[in-house]
């Protein structure tokens, strides 16, 4: 799989960009703030419908513009597909496949698969559980695009149920509550359990299948370090579901739905008292373990980087095992890594069908990763700064 063409309109610092790309390695060179990361961020957005840098779409729209557009021609096993998305200020985003509108932007998911490694990935180890849940869910969706609908439905039900809990809780404390409200809560419990069970089943299956790739990747990066592994953490699932060696079962979703319904019923008094939903995959976490200790809080800076890198390398190998190489995006990461970690990442990059690399200077990129270099510069001042793609650079990575 590779991106043959990328077009941007009013995306970040780019008023316009039209790039022809090819398989192999492409290096975007430019000083910090010149827009090179914005290019690979756009590719990543088409893959996940999210940015690795911000949680909302508004910052992606160029200052002063009402909308941004991202488009790409994706080649997979000789077949070309064109995907486009329009990000709008104050209205719903819109998407197209082969220039034909689709009902929902999430219908483009699965056409382009990427694995992106960036300095922000340190948050996978040191950040909040939401970072690790996002990692799991995006990888689950890359493997099973229809899960995007499940995630959307789950989030919608969670918002509705949380709002009802707050209202019902206030009324219960004032003794003005009604049986009808509790009956409505029963209905939302059923919806939450149905969608939550499907999401949980895919997360548990993913952790089971990702774990050996993660352990192997970490050994290759830090052979002298402690053994690394991952475990799913949940406060309401039975221990057998959290056993890392447990193989997925065909009826997992049905069993998990029954568990969620039971736990929601048990937790309802506390939920009404606190006005929040205390049971469901939105409360879970992915434990990253080094030896017998959690990586978060106990891993050194180097071990944390190794774990973050191992997670991305494991994701790449897992997706590759499905049958096609995802596009590998390396956003300004080599300057953060020591020689061994650079070599481990370069070894994977040399085998990938397409690699998009950003760096401030050619010397940041390992010499074994010869790439087609393109220089980027920014002109203008303040909020009117615009990025420009210049002619191909003459220096190869590693040259002065």
């Amino acid at each position: 799989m590779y991106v043959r063409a990328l077009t941007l309109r009013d995306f970040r610092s780019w008023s316009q960009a039209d790039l022809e790309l090819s398989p192999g390695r492409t290096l975007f060179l430019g000083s910090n703030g010149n827009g090179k990361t914005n290019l690979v961020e756009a590719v990543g957005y088409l893959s996940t419908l999210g940015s690795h840098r911000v949680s909302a779409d508004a910052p992606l729209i160029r200052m002063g513009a009402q909308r941004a557009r991202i488009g790409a021609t994706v080649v997979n096993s000789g077949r070309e597909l064109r995907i486009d998305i329009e990000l709008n200020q104050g209205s719903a985003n819109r998407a197209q496949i082969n220039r034909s509108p689709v009902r929902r932007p999430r219908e483009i998911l699965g056409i382009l698969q990427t694995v992106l490694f960036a300095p922000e990935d340190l948050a996978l180890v040191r950040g909040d559980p939401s970072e690790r849940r996002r990692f799991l869910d995006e990888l689950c969706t890359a493997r099973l695009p229809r899960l995007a609908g499940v995630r959307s439905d789950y989030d919608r039900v969670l918002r509705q149920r949380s709002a009802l809990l707050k209202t019902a809780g206030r009324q219960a404390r004032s003794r003005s509550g009604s049986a009808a409200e509790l009956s409505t809560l029963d209905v939302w419990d059923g919806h939450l359990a149905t969608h939550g069970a499907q999401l949980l089943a895919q997360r548990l299956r993913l952790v089971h299948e990702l774990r050996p790739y993660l352990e192997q990747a970490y050994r290759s990066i830090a052979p002298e370090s402690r053994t690394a592994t991952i475990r799913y953490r949940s406060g309401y699932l039975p221990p057998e579901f959290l056993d890392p060696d447990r193989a997925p079962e065909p009826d997992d979703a049905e069993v998990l739905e029954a568990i969620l319904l039971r736990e929601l019923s048990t937790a309802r008094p506390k939920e009404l008292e606190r006005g929040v939903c205390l049971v469901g995959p939105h409360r879970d976490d992915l434990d990253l373990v080094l030896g017998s200790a959690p990586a978060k809080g106990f891993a050194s800076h180097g071990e944390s980087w190794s774990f973050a890198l191992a997670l991305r390398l494991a994701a790449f190998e897992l997706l590759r095992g499905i049958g096609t190489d995802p596009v590998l995006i390396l956003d300004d990461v080599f300057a953060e890594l020591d020689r061994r970690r650079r070599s481990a990442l370069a070894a994977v990059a040399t085998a990938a069908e397409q690699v998009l690399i950003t760096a401030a200077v050619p010397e940041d990129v390992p010499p074994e990763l010869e790439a087609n270099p393109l220089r980027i510069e920014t002109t203008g001042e303040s909020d009117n700064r615009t990025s420009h793609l210049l002619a191909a650079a003459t220096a190869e990575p590693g040259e002065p």
Side-chain angles (χ1 to χ4, degrees):
M1 176 181 295
Y2 66 94
V3 176
R4 184 180 63 77
L6 176 68
T7 61
L8 305 181
R9 297 293 184 272
D10 292 321
F11 180 84
R12 290 284 199 179
S13 60
W14 293 90
S15 59
Q16 177 175 331
D18 297 274
L19 284 74
E20 293 292 328
L21 301 171
S22 60
R25 295 174 291 280
T26 298
L27 170 62
F28 300 109
L29 281 172
S31 302
N32 292 336
N34 273 9
K36 60 185 184 299
T37 288
N38 300 342
L39 295 172
V40 295
E41 181 183 26
V43 176
Y45 190 97
L46 289 172
S47 173
T48 65
L49 296 185
S51 164
H52 68 287
R53 302 159 73 192
V54 293
S55 59
D57 289 347
L60 306 180
I61 301 174
R62 188 166 173 262
M63 186 70 69
Q66 292 300 309
R67 62 189 57 85
R69 297 183 180 90
I70 316 169
T73 302
V74 182
V75 182
N76 189 0
S77 301
R79 181 190 180 202
E80 282 196 1
L81 282 176
R82 173 75 187 189
I83 52 177
D84 294 271
I85 191 161
E86 182 180 271
L87 311 180
N88 293 295
Q89 294 273 21
S91 61
N93 296 338
R94 299 186 294 181
Q96 296 179 339
I97 299 177
N98 287 338
R99 310 295 185 182
S100 297
V102 294
R103 290 181 60 193
R104 301 180 182 90
R106 65 173 181 254
E107 292 181 36
I108 73 172
L109 292 173
I111 294 175
L112 172 62
Q113 291 186 348
T114 64
V115 171
L116 188 152
F117 186 46
E120 290 84 356
D121 280 343
L122 199 58
L124 287 173
V125 182
R126 296 184 168 180
D128 295 333
S130 60
E131 300 284 349
R132 293 177 286 278
R133 289 195 296 266
R134 178 181 175 182
F135 168 78
L136 289 177
D137 290 344
E138 287 186 350
L139 190 50
C140 282
T141 304
R143 299 206 307 168
L144 189 66
R146 72 169 181 81
L147 197 66
V150 175
R151 292 169 59 190
S152 177
D153 289 341
Y154 182 84
D155 290 342
R156 174 181 55 82
V157 170
L158 180 62
R159 289 193 299 270
Q160 296 282 356
R161 187 176 183 274
S162 298
L164 183 58
L165 281 171
K166 292 178 181 178
T167 300
R170 286 195 300 267
Q171 293 179 348
R173 288 189 292 273
S174 64
R175 303 184 185 276
S176 61
S178 68
E181 288 168 343
L182 295 180
S183 177
T184 302
L185 198 53
D186 289 338
V187 174
W188 287 112
D189 283 2
H191 292 321
L192 192 81
T194 298
H195 302 309
Q198 295 179 58
L199 182 55
L200 272 174
Q202 293 303 321
R203 283 186 185 178
L204 292 169
R205 182 173 290 113
L206 173 64
V207 172
H208 176 77
E209 296 176 12
L210 186 67
R211 187 168 61 97
Y213 289 108
L214 177 279
E215 293 173 353
Q216 180 179 354
Y218 192 85
R219 279 196 303 269
S220 70
I221 298 167
E224 76 289 347
S225 183
R226 296 164 286 175
T227 301
T229 193
I230 52 176
R231 291 195 293 259
Y232 195 79
R233 191 207 303 177
S234 173
Y236 54 88
L237 289 181
E240 59 267 24
F241 275 91
L242 304 177
D243 183 350
D245 294 319
R246 177 186 180 276
E249 299 289 345
D251 63 345
D252 272 358
E254 296 177 9
V255 177
L256 289 166
E257 183 174 350
I259 292 171
L260 282 170
L261 281 171
R262 183 191 68 213
E263 294 298 317
L264 286 167
S265 177
T266 301
R268 181 174 292 182
K270 289 184 178 179
E271 290 185 325
L272 288 169
E273 180 182 346
R274 297 176 57 179
V276 295
C277 186
L278 299 175
V279 175
H282 64 287
R283 307 282 296 191
D284 296 348
D285 198 356
L286 179 67
D287 280 338
L288 312 181
V289 183
L290 274 177
S292 59
K296 184 176 181 179
F298 290 89
S300 67
H301 184 72
E303 288 173 327
S304 297
W305 267 116
S306 294
F307 218 129
L309 177 56
L311 284 168
R312 293 302 186 188
L313 296 183
F316 181 85
E317 294 298 338
L318 183 70
L319 292 177
R320 170 183 266 184
I322 297 174
T324 186
D325 281 12
V327 175
L328 184 60
I329 301 174
L330 308 177
D331 180 25
D332 222 5
V333 296
F334 287 110
E336 303 282 349
L337 303 176
D338 60 18
R339 180 185 55 81
R340 175 175 289 167
R341 296 179 183 89
R342 284 186 177 199
S343 297
L345 187 52
V348 173
T350 54
E353 184 172 4
Q354 185 178 51
V355 188
L356 305 179
I357 308 167
T358 69
V361 293
E363 292 78 10
D364 284 344
V365 182
E368 59 265 38
L369 277 184
E370 290 188 9
N372 174 36
L374 299 173
R375 291 197 185 276
I376 298 165
E377 73 172 15
T378 302
T379 59
E381 297 180 358
S382 187
D383 293 338
N384 291 319
R385 290 169 63 82
T386 302
S387 297
H388 300 281
L389 185 68
L390 303 183
T394 56
E396 292 295 327
E399 294 182 2

